[in-house]
Amino acid sequence: MIIILDFGGQYSQLIARRVRENNVYCEVYPYNKSIKEIKSLNPRGIILSGGPASVYEPNAPQLDPELLEQDWPILGICYGGQLIAQAFGGQVAQISHGEFGKAQLNVIQNSLIFNNLPKGSAVWMSHRDTILNVSNQLKILAHTADCPVAALQHHTKPIFALQFHPEVAHTEQGQLIISNFIQHICKATPNWTMVEFITEKQNEIRQIVGNKKVLCALSGGVDSSVAAVLTHQAIGSQLHCVFVDHGLLRHNEGDQVEAYFKQNLHIPFTRVNAQSRFLENLKGVSDPEQKRKIIGEQFIRVFEETKLELGPMPFLLQGTIYPDIIESGGGSTHTIKSHHNVGGLPEDMSFELLEPLNQLFKDEVRLVGQKLGMPNEIVMRQPFPGPGLAIRILGEITPEKISILQLADHIYREEIKRAGLDQKIWQYFAVLPNFKSVGVMGDQRTYA
């Protein structure tokens, strides 16, 4: 595996995606993960992400010097590259004008990291600081018109530093650069495939669950649906899907989910209508983080009550995926948002969690669904947040707002599909902003 140490960069998840596109497994960890813990994972290489800080600031995230003394190949990107330059005696300073956007990379030294790369290609820059002086332990591999040190390599160690971002699509040869690092420098084996993943996970599920029963928290979205089918194929009727209709779903979504899982797949299925319960608990709440936590707790309480009716079910199956964990503060320096199934879970719940997809990104989950034989209308569904329309309604939630948004979103998505764009646009949805406007209803002036 490859380890990505996250210094708070906006592209850290994207680096992981690019590594996995080479069929090599990787994980994202906070920059201050101990050397002992890293050693226990036995990585083939380390990638240091970018970040918003300046390496010369007193409280800036720093690199453990011991990391550079190991035998692992290391690739530093942007802030990570500046840390490497600084660690080996180079100077990093703020320049008069930052460099943001496309630049022309000029390669001046041969290196494995640039294997099969043309001498000139477009790269994506996003930095205010730059590497000014380089020690004699490092050699400059490339520059741009405004950046004298765009790439570095240690003379004797497999340590590389890039000022630009190879992980973004705007860097023309970015995937090739990352592939060179993984394949030629780290010599990682490309054995991370979804077929292997399915086999390993289903064996793992059988081993963990034994002859006990599992309650699946089924939302009908891509992630929980794939988790349900993956687990059902592993343990059969030991799985019971519970679909909580919290009243914040898309138009007719509850009926569609019930039809697919209950009638088509014949998986044990219970639908709980809990609209009034969720609305009551969300009354007067406007803050989206608070909404997520309330919904997360109410989900668990409904599952616990349903379990009492269905019989002993010690395991709760969730469709948690890797970005849910990272964005909830589990892999980066900052919490982006608390996902209801991660940051919103109560501490006193009576379940043991089963999360077979928590190592995967969304596109990998879709691939697993296809390998499991699931239809495209489920696997390629638009991403939909677990808290549903609660966080697409800005401000307080009311039944009227829910009704407006359900219909508006339905019409919008229907028109996108009619135009043949539904498989071309990554994500599209309607949002109800928290403001009123003047209009006319029944020949009367309204403000609504």
Side-chain angles (χ1 to χ4, degrees), residues 200-232:
E200 287 179 15
K201 275 297 162 186
Q202 289 184 334
N203 288 336
E204 186 182 302
I205 289 166
R206 292 186 195 101
Q207 189 176 1
I208 292 170
V209 172
N211 60 1
K212 295 175 183 175
K213 292 201 169 184
V214 177
L215 188 154
C216 172
L218 181 69
S219 71
V222 176
D223 306 327
S224 66
S225 297
V226 171
V229 174
L230 175 76
T231 306
H232 184 251

Side-chain angles (χ1 to χ4, degrees), residues 132-152:
L132 294 179
N133 297 317
V134 177
S135 73
N136 57 12
Q137 296 180 73
L138 303 171
K139 60 180 176 182
I140 299 172
L141 301 177
H143 64 82
T144 68
D146 295 317
C147 182
V149 184
L152 288 172

